[in-house]
Amino acid sequence: MASVPIIPDSYNHVLAEFECLDPLLSALRLDSSRLKCTCIAVSKRWLALGSSGGGLNLIQKDGWKQRLFLTHKEGAISRVACCLHDEDYVAVATSQGLVVVWELNQERRGKPERIYVSSEHKGRKVTALCWDRAALRVFVGDHVGKVSAIKINTSKQGKAAATFVMFPVQIITTVDSRVVQLDYLDGRLLISSLTRTYLCDTEREKFWKIGNKERDGEFGACFFPVGKNSGNQQPLIYCARPGSRMWEVNFDGEVQSTHQFKQLLSSPPLPVVTLRLDPHYTSSSCSPQSLSFPKLLYLTEHCVMTWTERGIYIFLPQSVQVLLWSEVKDIQDIAVYKSELFCLHTNGKVVHLSLLLVDRCIERLIRRGFWTLAARVCCLFQNSIISCRARKNLPLDKLEHLKSQLDASTQQDLITQLEELILKLEPLDSACSSRRSSISSHESFSVLDSGIYRVISRRGSQSDEDSCSLHSQTFSEDERLKEFPAHQEDEQVELDNVSHASVTVEADRNETFLPFSIPLSFRSPSPLVSLQAVKESVSSFVRKTTEKIGTLHISPDTRGRQEAKDDEQLQELTVNLVTSPQEEKELEPQSCQLPEEDHLRDLKAATAEAIAKLQDPLVLLEPQCMRRVLREWLIYLEEKFSSKEHSASSVKKSKTLCAEEERAVLEENLRLDSTDGDPADKEQSSILEDCTEKENTDETCINKTMCENSTDLKGPLDCCFRVSPPCVIEPDVQKDLVELTTLCFELRVFSCGNGEAEESSDRSVPLASSWALACRFMRSYFFLLDLKRLKQCIITMYATSPNVWETYIAGLKELTCHSPVALAMENEDMLKILKQLHDLGPWDDSPLLLVHAQRLYEKFGETALRPLIKFHPSILPSDIKQLCRNDPAHFLAYLDSLVKSKPEDKRSSLLRSLLQPESVRLDWLCLAVSHDAPQRANTVDAEGNPRPRSHLFTWGYSQLILLLIKLPADFVTKEKMADICKSHGFWPGYLFLCLELDRRIEAFTNVAHLDDLSLLNGEDGSIPETIEEWKFLLHLAQNHGTAFHHHGPQNGNAVSNGSPSCPDCITVENVALLLAKAIGPNRALPLLQECGLTLELSERFTSVCEILRIAEKRQRALIQSMLERCDRFLWSQQA
């Protein structure tokens, strides 16, 4: 197992994303290419999102329930700021430079209203907004350096005052360059421009320049409030400087010191804990970072936060330390409230991050049921977890519970790392377990500096009921542990007070009965947990002793019966093994571990030998040789992991009974399939005759296989799935077993055999038997199959055998039956389930997402398919087609929604990527032209020609059809698509394909039948290109004439046909006019005379030709004049 880099213990904070806001943005329609989020602000109650369409969305952070939408006709929202001391007010700046202040009227439950509109910055770009922290006053800065203040008079001060008193805008100052950031505290306004930082006393109207050295670029500045226990100490100011530096400034504007963070930023970035990606950490340090901090934001106590295009940086400036920095790309803006960060990215996405202690983060992940992510964070931050502070919030029982929730079959490496962490914690707990358990629950205690326990007995609490027995205490602790995963999320814990001198540790809220909060490495977080550890230790000793005695005295017969009983309870035993592999190792006596190793020794050797043979090119390039090697290996696999249907007793059945049973099964198959007219009937009949001849043979493996398979063919599936291994398998061994087992399925090697009986499973096993064997193989070795490759193999090789797919889905359901999504499927609505699936991502191409989609489709039907487009490419259209194989219309709706979810310029590339294999293009085209389409009788006449104007009919999936036919393809595929379009009457696609296939004469013929002159345009090349094509089109128009323009059912915007004056019909005059416009009237007239069509032309044609001649002359004269002027200009330049 490769060693995983461990984060040093100096880092005990992390940025974590616990919930994804993408569904929120989607509900607000802020995830489209037309409308996106442009600015962001946050307060205790509200999350404010400004949009490019001029709307401001106010979402209540508590549950994301309430939403206010404020519209602005003055342009897109460029800045937004929430009033922190009175959340009923919000200020908005628009792209036109107007500043609008809203009163939300939430207390009176009224409608939001505009109470002030400032045009002081109209025509300029507002770059900064800031609220006064005591009064209702807004400070505004723009791109030319102008800073103003808007004083608000509200209806809360009296209706008359709000109506008649409007304070004018106060001009604070105008600085030398664009305002980068504004901040306000205790009567002082901080203005940071591109060149320097200014401090303004707004009450006495005094100004100071901070520092003497200027700068050039975006550099932020912020106030640094003092803590609650700092006495009379004044706030500080921090100003960003070039080269990853900060000025520390006192409240009077005097620079005290310069802090350099360049060398400190050479440490590697800490991972962001998110469900989107697994956290990774690289221990190698990077080069020192010389950065410019565009903004500085005060984050909770003692922290200052900033960001660049590379990541997020959080500093402890007073102690000149880097709390952490993490790589987060493409950040446009960040809004903070206490320890919460809301990041707005350049693509309009919003990410909600929280700054937490590592142990708090892991605790919250455990409560939400994100077991894998919690375990990975534990392994990365081992050093921090071992510390006293983390030990208090993450006791041993929580880590054991976390380990028990991991899947032993797929997460063995993670379990091993977690066990190593637990072992590092155990010595401290076990060394003090006796001392901790000796203290009664009715006694409080404290710990002196020397480590001595000081017990304080409480009088009047010595009764038996209060003191509690060991059983009652451990029982209550058991109940608490059972309810632990179901706890609701606690209120967000504020970041602990961090200073450069010391760290004040906050006591756990669950332990209010402890009268002290001293961080001791050997103290358990709870006496009940200590008693629980004592109970588990005693129980473990009793179980080990009992099992040793039973192992020594058990008889062989009894042991055989016990093994059979265990085999019948295989599913329950497997679950126990998966949930607690470490406990199984402890319960297993030392004398039984060696036989377990011997149990798999032969299989390991056979596996190594098979892999060595398959690496031989002579074997690898010959499928029959590969099957022979796999059949030899499969003998050992069946011997070790075969279910009771494949046990030795079943192998030794009577050959005669086996043949009779096989014959009965095949007869029943023939009887069932006879009504369907399956072409495999003859093949099955021949197999039945062969079975009669082979009744007395002894070495026919197919007979045995068919005999064993009889139960599958007769009735429902009676064999449960093995979704986890029956014993602990080493990760390397399991990897090789999975590779070979999956290869067996792909090559249809489903059972061992000798020689010619199974020389080719494709030839010797009928179709019904093949899928039955495949189903049995999956059920028996589901825990050894690569689920991704298995799904692809089923889609390509068993497309006509739905039973194989159903068996695969049944196995996935068994594998995920206890997942949170499966449990929520019974009670929750569809939107909550989809949000839960989104939060559990990223799924990549995990088949587990597919089974959740299957459950959603089974419960909610077609409505559950359209939201699944958000999970592409984790779920592919081929997967959805398998889910909807009984109702292709549902698949078609999903495919159409998936394609339309992308911008128009990306739809073709998306659809082309989905056409794997290329043969599905014709299948999808047939589905699209046969669903939500007009009747064929309305588009095709009795002779197979298009009906007039039938191309104007509405087709439900016309966009999808046109995309399919316009994608590049070979000549044969294009011809097949043309035939499909013609047979169903989709004439726009047929005309396009005719032109692509160079069937121009056929295209013009169909245009004449459709009787629409607009189809003869130059955009798609349908206009005639040669004189012969023009003659052919003129003769088509002449032959059809008024007889073609019959009165009948018209489509679209068709008018009464038959009149030669119809401007859009295919008539001789209309085609002649088109000819004159294309080649000119002087060349068109001789051609019309040659065809003998001049008599059919009206005076309108003559008039149009005269107009064309005049226009052509004027155009030539204009061109000649322009050329002469250019010539004179060029000659003048040479002179």
Side-chain angles (χ1 to χ4, degrees):
M1 180 184 65
S3 60
V4 178
I6 299 176
I7 297 175
D9 56 357
S10 57
Y11 297 102
N12 53 7
H13 288 77
V14 70
L15 289 174
E17 180 187 14
F18 295 106
E19 52 189 353
C20 179
L21 297 184
D22 289 350
L24 175 64
L25 296 179
S26 179
L28 299 176
R29 301 180 181 273
L30 292 178
D31 59 347
S32 63
S33 57
R34 183 181 62 85
L35 195 66
K36 70 174 185 176
C37 185
T38 56
C39 57
I40 189 170
V42 66
S43 64
K44 181 179 180 181
R45 182 180 183 183
W46 299 109
L47 172 62
L49 301 175
S51 70
S52 56
L56 178 66
N57 295 276
L58 289 170
I59 302 98
Q60 189 169 343
K61 288 164 56 181
D62 184 12
W64 314 108
K65 295 178 182 178
Q66 187 177 358
R67 173 197 166 199
L68 295 177
F69 184 71
L70 310 179
T71 58
H72 303 79
K73 297 180 180 180
E74 296 85 359
I77 307 298
S78 60
R79 291 285 178 218
V80 59
C82 298
C83 183
L84 296 181
H85 64 274
D86 191 343
E87 295 189 295
D88 213 27
Y89 298 92
V90 61
V92 174
T94 68
S95 58
Q96 297 179 7
L98 298 179
V99 179
V100 183
V101 181
W102 289 83
E103 184 176 2
L104 304 181
N105 293 321
Q106 289 297 293
E107 297 178 359
R108 296 177 296 174
R109 298 186 178 180
K111 291 184 178 180
E113 57 181 339
R114 297 187 178 196
I115 59 175
Y116 205 108
V117 178
S118 170
S119 58
E120 186 66 34
H121 302 268
K122 187 175 181 180
R124 301 174 181 176
K125 181 180 180 182
V126 175
T127 56
L129 285 179
C130 175
W131 279 91
D132 189 328
R133 301 196 182 189
L136 289 178
R137 185 167 52 168
V138 183
F139 298 98
V140 186
D142 61 25
H143 76 287
V144 298
K146 188 176 184 179
V147 180
S148 66
I150 304 172
K151 188 175 182 180
I152 309 300
N153 191 21
T154 110
S155 59
K156 295 179 182 180
Q157 300 172 352
K159 190 171 183 180
T163 305
F164 297 105
V165 179
M166 294 291 291
F167 294 103
V169 176
Q170 177 187 3
I171 306 300
I172 301 295
T173 185
T174 300
V175 296
D176 54 357
S177 59
R178 178 164 64 93
V179 177
V180 175
Q181 186 177 1
L182 296 175
D183 199 6
Y184 184 86
L185 181 66
D186 296 343
R188 304 285 176 95
L189 178 65
L190 192 63
I191 306 171
S192 181
S193 70
L194 294 176
T195 57
R196 61 172 65 246
T197 303
Y198 302 87
L199 184 62
C200 171
D201 189 334
T202 57
E203 297 177 358
R204 295 184 295 174
E205 298 184 357
K206 290 186 177 182
F207 300 89
W208 298 272
K209 293 181 181 179
I210 297 179
N212 297 321
K213 295 182 179 180
E214 293 189 353
R215 68 208 179 184
D216 185 14
E218 292 191 1
F219 295 90
C222 70
F223 286 106
F224 193 84
V226 295
K228 299 177 181 179
N229 302 323
S230 300
N232 297 325
Q233 181 181 352
Q234 283 190 327
L236 296 173
I237 300 171
Y238 285 99
C239 305
R241 297 292 299 168
S244 302
R245 291 178 297 161
M246 286 186 199
W247 274 346
E248 183 175 308
V249 185
N250 63 16
F251 207 52
D252 295 326
E254 299 172 350
V255 178
Q256 302 294 312
S257 60
T258 302
H259 300 325
Q260 176 62 264
F261 295 97
K262 181 177 180 180
Q263 297 298 329
L264 296 176
L265 290 176
S266 62
S267 60
L270 293 187
V272 177
V273 177
T274 174
L275 300 174
R276 305 170 189 264
L277 297 170
D278 289 337
H280 293 287
Y281 177 75
T282 304
S283 57
S284 59
S285 60
C286 55
S287 58
Q289 301 183 56
S290 179
L291 304 174
S292 301
F293 303 139
K295 284 186 181 180
L296 296 181
L297 299 177
Y298 174 74
L299 182 66
T300 184
E301 294 190 16
H302 302 287
C303 294
V304 170
M305 190 276 300
T306 186
W307 72 90
T308 65
E309 68 279 356
R310 183 177 180 184
I312 297 175
Y313 305 84
I314 300 177
F315 303 103
L316 299 174
Q318 288 181 302
S319 57
V320 196
Q321 294 180 9
V322 177
L323 185 68
L324 64 85
W325 81 273
S326 299
E327 283 190 338
V328 182
K329 303 290 186 180
D330 302 326
I331 296 178
Q332 176 180 330
D333 196 7
I334 293 182
V336 301
Y337 180 77
K338 293 188 176 179
S339 60
E340 289 184 293
L341 291 76
F342 290 85
C343 306
L344 173 63
H345 291 262
T346 53
N347 59 2
K349 297 295 182 182
V350 178
V351 177
H352 180 198
L353 300 177
S354 299
L355 177 63
L356 293 171
L357 287 164
V358 173
D359 53 335
R360 294 287 189 191
C361 174
I362 297 171
E363 184 182 19
R364 195 173 291 187
L365 290 173
I366 292 175
R367 288 181 179 175
R368 291 173 179 258
F370 302 138
W371 313 111
T372 303
L373 184 57
R376 293 190 186 279
V377 176
C378 282
C379 296
L380 282 175
F381 289 89
Q382 291 185 25
N383 295 326
S384 298
I385 293 174
I386 296 173
S387 67
C388 307
R389 176 70 172 91
R391 291 278 295 274
K392 186 173 76 72
N393 292 321
L394 286 177
L396 207 57
D397 61 334
K398 287 187 181 180
L399 295 178
E400 289 284 0
H401 179 73
L402 173 60
K403 187 189 73 172
S404 66
Q405 298 298 323
L406 301 178
D407 189 351
S409 60
T410 59
Q411 298 173 317
Q412 188 61 45
D413 291 348
L414 200 56
I415 292 175
T416 304
Q417 297 175 29
L418 204 56
E419 288 173 351
E420 294 176 356
L421 172 60
I422 293 173
L423 289 176
K424 295 178 182 178
L425 298 176
E426 280 181 345
L428 291 175
D429 288 333
S430 60
C432 303
S433 60
S434 60
R435 285 186 288 169
R436 292 196 305 263
S437 60
S438 64
I439 301 175
S440 302
S441 63
H442 62 272
E443 296 174 348
S444 62
F445 58 99
S446 61
V447 183
L448 303 180
D449 294 337
S450 60
I452 300 175
Y453 281 76
R454 179 184 178 187
V455 180
I456 306 172
S457 178
R458 291 179 291 187
R459 296 179 180 178
S461 59
Q462 300 296 330
S463 62
D464 293 339
E465 180 179 356
D466 291 337
S467 61
C468 298
S469 64
L470 173 63
H471 179 270
S472 63
Q473 288 202 25
T474 53
F475 177 78
S476 64
E477 183 66 17
D478 283 341
E479 292 297 320
R480 188 179 72 84
L481 290 176
K482 289 179 182 177
E483 296 175 359
F484 170 73
H487 283 332
Q488 297 295 327
E489 182 71 25
D490 292 342
E491 296 179 0
Q492 179 166 346
V493 182
E494 295 185 9
L495 186 66
D496 298 325
N497 297 337
V498 183
S499 69
H500 63 283
S502 62
V503 178
T504 304
V505 181
E506 174 187 313
D508 198 315
R509 282 177 282 174
N510 295 330
E511 298 168 351
T512 55
F513 56 89
L514 296 179
F516 60 91
S517 58
I518 304 175
L520 298 173
S521 60
F522 53 83
R523 181 173 65 83
S524 171
S526 169
L528 296 181
V529 178
S530 303
L531 295 175
Q532 173 70 12
V534 174
K535 175 196 171 188
E536 291 178 354
S537 178
V538 173
S539 302
S540 176
F541 174 78
V542 171
R543 287 195 300 267
K544 290 180 180 180
T545 307
T546 306
E547 189 166 350
K548 286 183 180 179
I549 296 173
T551 305
L552 292 174
H553 294 88
I554 191 169
S555 63
D557 296 337
T558 308
R559 184 174 299 177
R561 289 194 298 271
Q562 183 68 28
E563 290 175 357
K565 182 178 180 180
D566 292 342
D567 194 22
E568 293 174 358
Q569 300 175 352
L570 179 62
Q571 186 176 4
E572 181 178 355
L573 178 62
T574 302
V575 173
N576 292 336
L577 283 168
V578 171
T579 55
S580 183
Q582 182 66 25
E583 182 181 355
E584 181 66 19
K585 293 178 183 179
E586 293 176 359
L587 297 181
E588 193 73 26
Q590 187 68 24
S591 60
C592 294
Q593 290 180 359
L594 291 177
E596 181 65 25
E597 295 177 0
D598 295 337
H599 177 69
L600 297 179
R601 179 177 300 172
D602 295 341
L603 180 59
K604 292 179 182 178
T607 302
E609 182 181 358
I611 292 177
K613 290 181 179 179
L614 291 175
Q615 291 176 350
D616 186 355
L618 297 178
V619 177
L620 190 61
L621 299 176
E622 184 58 45
Q624 297 302 333
C625 296
M626 293 179 65
R627 290 191 179 98
R628 189 180 302 111
V629 172
L630 291 174
R631 278 195 295 270
E632 294 173 356
W633 170 80
L634 198 56
I635 298 175
Y636 296 92
L637 184 68
E638 291 182 351
E639 179 183 348
K640 303 303 178 186
F641 294 128
S642 62
S643 56
K644 59 183 181 180
E645 287 84 357
H646 294 281
S647 62
S649 59
S650 64
V651 174
K652 295 180 180 179
K653 283 183 179 180
S654 170
K655 275 70 177 181
T656 305
L657 292 176
C658 180
E660 290 177 357
E661 188 174 0
E662 179 191 352
R663 182 184 182 91
V665 171
L666 289 175
E667 287 177 351
E668 183 174 357
N669 284 340
L670 290 175
R671 184 168 60 255
L672 292 174
D673 296 340
S674 60
T675 58
D676 300 333
D678 194 343
D681 289 345
K682 297 181 180 180
E683 186 179 2
Q684 292 189 356
S685 301
S686 62
I687 295 294
L688 183 60
E689 295 175 0
D690 294 340
C691 292
T692 306
E693 299 175 0
K694 296 179 181 179
E695 285 181 0
N696 296 324
T697 59
D698 296 332
E699 300 297 336
T700 307
C701 185
I702 288 186
N703 286 357
K704 296 178 185 179
T705 305
M706 292 292 294
C707 179
E708 291 167 2
N709 195 46
S710 60
T711 55
D712 293 312
L713 298 176
K714 284 183 177 181
L717 305 177
D718 59 347
C719 178
C720 62
F721 282 88
R722 285 188 174 182
V723 295
S724 55
C727 64
V728 179
I729 307 175
E730 298 175 5
D732 295 338
V733 176
Q734 183 167 2
K735 180 181 178 181
D736 295 337
L737 292 177
V738 169
E739 179 65 28
L740 292 179
T741 308
T742 307
L743 194 58
C744 285
F745 189 91
E746 292 171 342
L747 294 177
R748 301 190 184 186
V749 179
F750 299 132
S751 62
C752 59
N754 57 335
E756 300 176 358
E758 290 190 2
E759 189 63 28
S760 175
S761 56
D762 295 335
R763 292 197 305 264
S764 61
V765 180
L767 181 62
S769 304
S770 177
W771 68 254
L773 290 172
C775 293
R776 176 186 292 278
F777 190 85
M778 275 193 290
R779 292 196 304 272
S780 300
Y781 305 110
F782 201 79
F783 66 96
L784 289 178
L785 289 168
D786 187 329
L787 299 180
K788 297 178 185 179
R789 289 170 55 187
L790 182 64
K791 181 191 75 172
Q792 192 62 33
C793 179
I794 293 173
I795 292 176
T796 55
M797 298 176 61
Y798 293 95
T800 58
S801 302
N803 304 74
V804 182
W805 177 264
E806 292 174 359
T807 304
Y808 174 68
I809 293 296
L812 292 177
K813 287 183 177 180
E814 182 74 18
L815 184 63
T816 59
C817 61
H818 299 295
S819 67
V821 179
L823 298 177
M825 200 72 67
E826 301 177 1
N827 304 320
E828 301 291 347
D829 58 12
M830 186 176 68
L831 294 179
K832 290 183 179 179
I833 298 172
L834 288 170
K835 186 179 184 301
Q836 190 174 12
L837 284 175
H838 196 281
D839 293 341
L840 290 174
W843 292 92
D844 298 328
D845 54 349
S846 172
L848 300 183
L849 178 60
L850 179 61
V851 72
H852 296 316
Q854 174 76 32
R855 289 191 176 102
L856 280 171
Y857 179 66
E858 291 174 353
K859 183 173 182 179
F860 301 104
E862 183 185 2
T863 56
L865 294 181
R866 295 183 187 270
L868 293 179
I869 62 177
K870 294 289 185 181
F871 296 98
H872 179 268
S874 298
I875 295 183
L876 297 173
S878 57
D879 303 328
I880 300 298
K881 189 175 183 182
Q882 289 290 337
L883 301 184
C884 311
R885 61 182 178 278
N886 296 327
D887 199 339
H890 293 176
F891 161 72
L892 204 57
Y894 165 82
L895 182 63
D896 189 59
S897 300
L898 176 62
V899 173
K900 289 181 179 179
S901 66
K902 302 295 181 181
E904 291 188 7
D905 57 336
K906 297 181 180 179
R907 291 178 182 176
S908 297
S909 58
L910 170 66
L911 192 59
R912 188 171 185 179
S913 66
L914 300 178
L915 294 175
Q916 301 294 335
E918 197 50 47
S919 57
V920 300
R921 182 202 299 253
L922 298 178
D923 299 336
W924 293 0
L925 182 61
C926 290
L927 284 176
V929 297
S930 57
H931 287 82
D932 197 7
Q935 297 291 330
R936 188 177 185 277
N938 295 332
T939 58
V940 183
D941 59 17
E943 298 177 357
N945 296 320
R947 289 190 180 276
R949 304 302 175 101
S950 59
H951 64 290
L952 300 176
F953 275 114
T954 300
W955 293 69
Y957 300 104
S958 59
Q959 294 185 23
L960 180 62
I961 299 171
L962 291 174
L963 284 174
L964 285 171
I965 64 178
K966 289 181 180 180
L967 288 178
D970 57 87
F971 186 81
V972 176
T973 303
K974 290 285 185 179
E975 284 187 328
K976 292 180 180 178
M977 289 193 294
D979 295 339
I980 293 173
C981 291
K982 183 177 182 180
S983 62
H984 289 83
F986 185 71
W987 302 117
Y990 180 67
L991 292 177
F992 175 83
L993 290 170
C994 284
L995 294 174
E996 269 205 339
L997 296 171
D998 204 21
R999 300 180 184 175
R1000 301 183 61 83
I1001 299 301
E1002 188 175 351
F1004 295 142
T1005 304
N1006 283 276
V1007 168
H1009 283 290
L1010 291 171
D1011 194 22
D1012 190 353
L1013 192 67
S1014 62
L1015 295 175
L1016 295 172
N1017 57 69
E1019 295 179 1
D1020 53 4
S1022 57
I1023 193 170
E1025 296 177 350
T1026 63
I1027 298 299
E1028 286 71 19
E1029 288 181 355
W1030 280 111
K1031 289 181 180 179
F1032 178 76
L1033 186 59
L1034 287 169
H1035 285 300
L1036 280 177
Q1038 183 183 19
N1039 294 336
H1040 284 80
T1042 56
F1044 181 71
H1045 301 149
H1046 59 84
H1047 294 279
Q1050 301 299 326
N1051 310 308
N1053 59 351
V1055 295
S1056 175
N1057 294 323
S1059 173
S1061 62
C1062 294
D1064 58 347
C1065 296
I1066 301 294
T1067 62
V1068 173
E1069 183 170 324
N1070 288 340
V1071 176
L1073 286 173
L1074 188 64
L1075 173 64
K1077 294 176 182 178
I1079 65 176
N1082 295 330
R1083 295 180 59 193
L1085 283 175
L1087 181 61
L1088 293 172
Q1089 293 173 356
E1090 182 182 349
C1091 297
L1093 299 176
T1094 54
L1095 298 177
E1096 299 186 20
L1097 303 177
S1098 63
E1099 294 181 358
R1100 173 172 169 264
F1101 176 79
T1102 306
S1103 302
V1104 172
C1105 287
E1106 289 297 327
I1107 294 174
L1108 290 175
R1109 288 192 183 97
I1110 295 173
E1112 186 177 355
K1113 288 181 180 179
R1114 291 186 176 181
Q1115 188 175 11
R1116 288 179 179 176
L1118 180 62
I1119 293 174
Q1120 183 65 27
S1121 174
M1122 292 177 64
L1123 290 175
E1124 290 176 355
R1125 290 181 180 181
C1126 291
D1127 187 61
R1128 287 196 298 269
F1129 174 77
L1130 293 175
W1131 280 109
S1132 65
Q1133 293 296 317
Q1134 289 183 359

